[in-house]
């Protein structure tokens, strides 16, 4: 676990140090609104939608909502989760590169195991998301990351794959 955090930290530092020497043109102004969607989630019963806006060309603030109904996956999760999220991009706008995000919010979920045990969690959530932004076009980004934080009543590590469409 410590090695994974060390590798993530070194990758972020390496990306940041390369961007210091890059000649970059900051677009003015950054896009004012974007919509995010997790396209792979519905396969597993996770429906997520978000709206975000850039505060600067590197800082993005967003609000995400998720509804869970994972009937075909063990453990079965039903309920909802909402997050306020902030991403810092190490690369300039419209360029691919690493990012780090932080999130906080609230959840109300019920988790049923195959053993028949059921747990309800209605509590705050929070964590970090190191990842990579792939700028597919000037209007479409793909975020690939790892969510590390407190959710479902315990510390969780889960992948993130979402698409952000910028208006």
């Amino acid at each position: 676990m410590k090695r994974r955090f060390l590798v993530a930290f070194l990758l972020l530092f390496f990306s940041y140090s390369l961007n210091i020497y890059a000649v970059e043109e900051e677009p003015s102004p950054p896009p004012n609104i974007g919509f995010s969607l997790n396209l792979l989630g519905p396969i597993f019963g996770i429906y997520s939608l978000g709206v975000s806006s850039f505060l600067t060309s590197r800082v993005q603030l967003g609000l995400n909502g998720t509804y869970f109904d994972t009937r075909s996956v063990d453990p079965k999760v039903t309920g909802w989760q909402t997050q306020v999220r902030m991403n810092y991009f190490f690369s300039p706008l419209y360029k691919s590169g690493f990012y780090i995000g932080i999130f906080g919010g609230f959840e109300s979920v019920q988790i049923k195991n195959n053993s028949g045990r059921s747990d309800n969690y209605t509590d705050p959530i929070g964590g970090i998301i190191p990842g990579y932004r792939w700028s597919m076009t000037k209007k479409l980004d793909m975020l690939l990351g790892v969510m590390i934080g407190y959710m479902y009543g315990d510390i969780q590590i889960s992948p993130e794959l979402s698409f952000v469409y910028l208006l």
Side-chain angles (χ1 to χ4, degrees), residues 82-143:
T82 185
Q83 299 176 5
V84 175
R85 178 173 171 163
M86 185 176 74
N87 291 330
Y88 178 80
F89 298 101
F90 292 100
S91 59
L93 197 59
Y94 310 124
K95 302 245 186 224
S96 299
F98 290 98
Y99 72 92
I100 186 131
I102 59 171
F103 70 92
F106 198 75
E107 71 181 354
S108 179
V109 295
Q110 180 182 32
I111 301 174
K112 292 182 184 176
N113 294 330
N114 269 347
S115 63
R117 183 174 160 221
S118 178
D119 295 317
N120 292 321
Y121 298 102
T122 304
D123 53 357
I125 60 171
I128 63 168
I129 308 162
Y132 187 80
R133 171 182 67 182
W134 179 29
S135 288
M136 300 169 77
T137 68
K138 284 200 173 206
K139 297 231 178 229
L140 185 63
D141 289 343
M142 183 170 63
L143 300 178

Side-chain angles (χ1 to χ4, degrees), residues 54-83:
F54 280 91
L55 300 177
T56 70
S57 62
R58 292 183 186 251
V59 178
Q60 182 184 40
L61 189 62
L63 179 65
N64 296 336
T66 305
Y67 173 73
F68 300 97
D69 193 8
T70 60
R71 295 181 182 157
S72 60
V73 180
D74 184 46
K76 294 176 178 136
V77 180
T78 56
W80 58 271
Q81 189 179 82
T82 185
Q83 299 176 5

Side-chain angles (χ1 to χ4, degrees), residues 24-43:
E24 32 182 276
E25 293 180 23
E26 295 292 332
S28 180
N32 59 352
I33 196 162
F35 293 98
S36 63
L37 179 65
N38 182 349
L39 293 180
L40 295 179
I43 296 170

Side-chain angles (χ1 to χ4, degrees), residues 140-152:
L140 185 63
D141 289 343
M142 183 170 63
L143 300 178
L144 303 163
V146 178
M147 295 180 80
I148 305 164
Y150 179 80
M151 296 176 282
Y152 313 134

